[in-house]
Amino acid sequence: EVQLLESGGGLVQPGGSLRLSCAASGFTFTSYAMSWVRQAPGKGLEWVSAISGSAAATYYADSVKGRFTVSRDNSKSTLYLQMNSLRAEDTAVYYCAKSVTQYGSGSYVDYWGQGTLVTVS
Amino acid sequence: DIQMTQSPSSLSASVGDRVTITCRASQGISNYLAWYQQKPGKVPKLLIYDGSTLQSGVPSRFNGSGSGTDFTLTISSLQPEDVATYYCQKYNSAPLTFGGGTKVEIK
């Protein structure tokens, strides 16, 4: 059974930093790209970032480019999102999601974690 | 970047009604389109990928169609458990943009 467990959310001041983690299990982690998707309170889904299975390729939404960094440790089956220079508008539930291929672009997601709340205030 | 526009933003229909949600891409994306369902307080769930392929376990009353720039999600007979917000997402290339969502309620 695929399981994705996010952690690392919390309250942070504007301009601060936070690192989210997503521990994966139930599948061969290195064979699949992973994404981060966020949802501000009462709002829709916003794709944030993706990383290929090998970590060779990374992709970002314009809204976070230059501030957020996605990475993964395939030996630990863990996905990360380093968030710097946080703004109030980054407040959201952050979901990690598993792609159906190893490619971060050109692939949809089929499993989602439960999410972790980041509040910038 | 390609924009994804969903309509309507919300709708109310009776049980048994046929419901149609549209998603329009600002440029052609072939059939690289997925639909997700998010029930209140829950995590999004994949319904349809490649524009029209039903994800395993999804009821057959859900149908996806379209290619290029115009896509449709149809619920052939709305059920109470279909109350949710539905999102389209393009995935031909990054950014993997979502539509704004369509909230479906029971009348």
Side-chain angles (χ1 to χ4, degrees), chain A residues 35 37 39 43-47 50 59-62 95 100 104-110 112-115, chain B residues 1 32 34 36 38 42-46 48-50 55 87 89 91-100:
Chain A
S35 286
V37 177
Q39 186 167 36
K43 302 297 184 182
L45 301 174
E46 180 186 12
W47 175 80
Y59 308 87
Y60 298 94
D62 285 346
Y95 297 101
V100 297
S105 182
S107 177
Y108 57 94
V109 298
D110 58 352
W112 299 66
Q114 291 300 310
Chain B
D1 292 344
Y32 290 92
Y36 299 90
Q38 187 177 32
K42 300 296 185 181
V43 171
K45 170 188 171 183
L46 175 66
I48 287 168
Y49 59 93
D50 292 348
Q55 173 71 346
Y87 297 91
Q89 183 195 28
Y91 54 93
N92 61 314
S93 63
L96 310 183
T97 310
F98 286 93

Side-chain angles (χ1 to χ4, degrees), chain B residues 6 15 18 22 26 43 72 91-92:
Chain B
Q6 277 184 245
V15 172
R18 182 182 185 88
T22 64
S26 59
V43 171
T72 299
Y91 54 93
N92 61 314

Side-chain angles (χ1 to χ4, degrees), chain B:
Chain B
D1 292 344
I2 297 173
Q3 307 303 313
M4 304 300 293
T5 304
Q6 277 184 245
S7 62
S9 57
S10 66
L11 66 89
S12 181
S14 299
V15 172
D17 281 356
R18 182 182 185 88
V19 168
T20 299
I21 298 168
T22 64
C23 177
R24 176 163 290 174
S26 59
Q27 298 176 40
I29 58 170
S30 185
N31 65 337
Y32 290 92
L33 187 101
W35 289 97
Y36 299 90
Q37 175 194 62
Q38 187 177 32
K39 295 184 178 182
K42 300 296 185 181
V43 171
K45 170 188 171 183
L46 175 66
L47 293 179
I48 287 168
Y49 59 93
D50 292 348
S52 61
T53 303
L54 208 62
Q55 173 71 346
S56 176
V58 174
S60 59
R61 63 180 179 274
F62 290 93
N63 180 69
S65 64
S67 183
T69 60
D70 294 315
F71 300 85
T72 299
L73 173 68
T74 301
I75 308 173
S76 60
S77 177
L78 186 68
Q79 300 301 305
E81 60 265 32
D82 299 335
V83 168
T85 301
Y86 295 83
Y87 297 91
C88 61
Q89 183 195 28
K90 76 159 192 78
Y91 54 93
N92 61 314
S93 63
L96 310 183
T97 310
F98 286 93
T102 297
K103 186 174 183 179
V104 174
E105 298 176 321
I106 299 291
K107 192 181 295 182

Side-chain angles (χ1 to χ4, degrees), chain A:
Chain A
E1 179 192 6
V2 172
Q3 292 194 344
L4 300 169
L5 185 60
E6 302 93 337
S7 61
L11 177 62
V12 61
Q13 292 184 340
S17 297
L18 213 54
R19 188 176 86 154
L20 305 183
S21 299
C22 172
S25 61
F27 63 101
T28 304
F29 187 67
T30 190
S31 295
Y32 296 94
M34 299 292 292
S35 286
W36 288 101
V37 177
R38 69 184 181 184
Q39 186 167 36
K43 302 297 184 182
L45 301 174
E46 180 186 12
W47 175 80
V48 172
S49 181
I51 185 169
S52 64
S54 66
T58 58
Y59 308 87
Y60 298 94
D62 285 346
S63 58
V64 306
K65 202 171 293 183
R67 300 188 299 123
F68 290 12
T69 301
V70 63
S71 62
R72 61 193 294 161
D73 184 337
N74 285 344
S75 68
K76 296 181 178 179
S77 295
T78 302
L79 172 72
Y80 302 101
L81 186 67
Q82 177 67 43
M83 305 186 295
N84 299 330
S85 303
L86 283 161
R87 307 166 180 167
E89 54 264 36
D90 295 318
T91 294
V93 173
Y94 285 73
Y95 297 101
C96 73
K98 169 190 165 291
S99 294
V100 297
T101 74
Q102 62 178 303
Y103 305 110
S105 182
S107 177
Y108 57 94
V109 298
D110 58 352
Y111 287 94
W112 299 66
Q114 291 300 310
T116 186
L117 177 62
V118 172
T119 303
V120 184
S121 178

